[in-house]
Amino acid sequence: MSKPQSITLHINDEDHDVRVQTQQTLLSVLRDQLYLTGTKLGCNQGVCGACTVLRDGVPTRACLTLAVDSTTFAITTIEGIVPADDLLPIQQAFIDAAAPQCGFCMSGMVLVAKSLLESNPHPTREEIREALSGNLCRCTGYTKIIEAIELMSTRSA
Amino acid sequence: MRYCCPTSIEEAVAILNTDEDARCLAGGATLVAMLNAELLSPSTLVSLRAIADLDGIRHTDSGITIGAMTRHAVVANDQRLNNGLTVVRLAAQEIGHPAIRAVGTIGGAIAHADPSADYPTALLAANAEVEVIGSSGARTVPAGDFFQDYFTTALAHGEMITSIHLANADPGTVSSYFKVARSDGDFAITSMAFCGNFDGSTCTAARVAVGGCASTPLNVTAVDKMLIGAELGSDQVTMAAQALADACDPIDDVRGSADYRRLLVKRLLPRVLQRAIDQGSN
Ligand SMILES: Cc1cc2nc3c(=O)[nH]c(=O)nc-3n(C[C@H](O)[C@H](O)[C@H](O)COP(=O)(O)OP(=O)(O)OC[C@H]3O[C@@H](n4cnc5c(N)ncnc54)[C@H](O)[C@@H]3O)c2cc1C
Ligand code: FES
Ligand code: FES
């Protein structure tokens, strides 16, 4: 083990000073040091998408991102998009469409949906499927997740 | 494990040459997954993220140069990669899914040299040149010499990739890429790339590369020659496809058996040719 280094990460509009090892992923810092456990640990291999965060607005795997290599980016986790004591419209749409089951994949799904709808407010079903293609869900069969995004799209003018 | 983030190529090369066990860190899509699985433990990671000279696609009089740190998503969307170079754009579009294409780089993908990956096969068909630099200077390695074995390249100790150069193709050149995978976003079971020319439906020049069927992507000169003068749908194409399948040396793995891969090679050749003709007429 090497000596930990002090770095500053920009997460959810706040600066966080943390001490990390070079090989430590952003995911491990988020969950184990900052207790931002909304970001999930699934495969730790880049396959499942449970660890999705936004890096400068772009959905990114926190398990494939080294913390030391992340200091210049604005990181947004699921905790960072939620207004205090409230839900985002996209989260309400997920609830109204009955999209969540166990919920494990949901922070990744919601962040991908948010990022998609910001750049493309009225995506086609094909575009939604493509955007979600890197996020696995073992419960829902995806249909209601796609419907939630379509619902959100019809609700925004 | 040390981390450094140099801002120039010279600085990066200097670190790679002072530290025996240093490794480049590009997008991290493969490297960090390997660190997580404890398959690797380099002494130093040299992040290439802050070296502006490695990023982006440049047009020159002789062709197109893609910087080693250029993300898959950028290549996938660059419409200037057309005609004989469409194959490179199509391969980039096939890599993983959006979150992987947003971080993975062409330099990282070819340095890793997975024979089932998409870029190596496409770059071999496009006859790309890999620009590398080390302590004794820069050199150019043709794609055909760059991939040497499973996960093994011509990079010498202390060398890194700076860019990939694609020479302008002859006028009228068309190209295409065809990948068969278990699911969207997985590595190829077998893939095929083509660059060449047609007169109507008769092939007049060909360079075919196969991925996932040997320790490196494969180009067989004798097969390219057999295709010249061959008309799509003719026995000559079937014979070339058989010769190509015979030249492959695939393995049985979780994605498919060796026999299945040889069968795919025979089926893919006519399709990749048809796709190239269709692309040319669009
Ligand atoms: C879930 C998932 C799905 C994927 N699906 C596909 C797929 O369908 N098809 C496909 O082709 N690939 C796929 N990949 C691999 C992907 O393309 C990676 O982006 C790529 O293999 C590595 O690129 P990177 O920039 O992330 O490199 P890194 O992971 O940072 O580095 C990979 C290796 O290259 C070395 N390296 C990096 N840059 C240089 C350089 N400039 N000079 C010398 N050495 C260098 C590193 O030291 C390391 O050994 C997938 C990956 C994941 C995680
Ligand atoms: S935990 Fe990161 S992709 Fe599965
Ligand atoms: S709701 Fe359970 S994994 Fe998606």
Side-chain angles (χ1 to χ4, degrees), chain A residues 99-106 109 136-140 145:
Chain A
Q101 289 191 22
C102 83
F104 192 80
C105 69
M106 281 294 146
M109 293 289 182
L136 301 185
C137 175
R138 295 294 83 176
C139 302
T140 66
I145 299 173

Side-chain angles (χ1 to χ4, degrees), chain A residues 2 5 22-23 25 44-46 55 58-61 63-64 66 68-69 72-73 130 133-134, chain B residues 1-3 25-29 32-33 35-37 45 47 49 97-103:
Chain A
S2 45
Q5 309 149 60
T22 298
Q23 66 272 31
T25 61
N44 219 18
Q45 287 291 305
R55 195 173 79 171
V58 180
T60 305
R61 307 309 211 203
C63 74
L64 294 183
L66 292 182
V68 284
D69 212 37
T72 58
F73 298 103
E130 169 68 9
S133 64
Chain B
M1 199 180 302
R2 215 157 60 91
Y3 168 82
L25 169 66
V32 178
L35 293 177
N36 291 349
L45 290 183
S47 173
R49 170 167 65 81
H97 31 64
I100 299 299
R101 294 197 290 277
V103 300

Side-chain angles (χ1 to χ4, degrees), chain A residues 45-48 61 64, chain B residues 16 22-34 40 45 48 54 68-69 71-72 91 94-97 100-101 103-112 114 116-120 155 159-162 179 185-188:
Chain A
Q45 287 291 305
V47 178
C48 73
R61 307 309 211 203
L64 294 183
Chain B
L16 290 172
R23 248 180 204 259
C24 295
L25 169 66
T30 297
L31 183 57
V32 178
M34 291 172 86
L40 274 184
L45 290 183
L48 306 180
L54 294 178
M69 284 297 283
R71 313 282 157 178
H72 306 330
E94 291 279 356
I95 299 174
H97 31 64
I100 299 299
R101 294 197 290 277
V103 300
T105 67
I106 190 167
I110 67 170
H112 186 57
D114 184 331
S116 299
D118 295 297
Y119 270 136
L155 279 179
E159 277 187 330
M160 60 179 272
I161 302 163
T162 52
K179 172 179 183 177
D186 194 8
F187 282 88

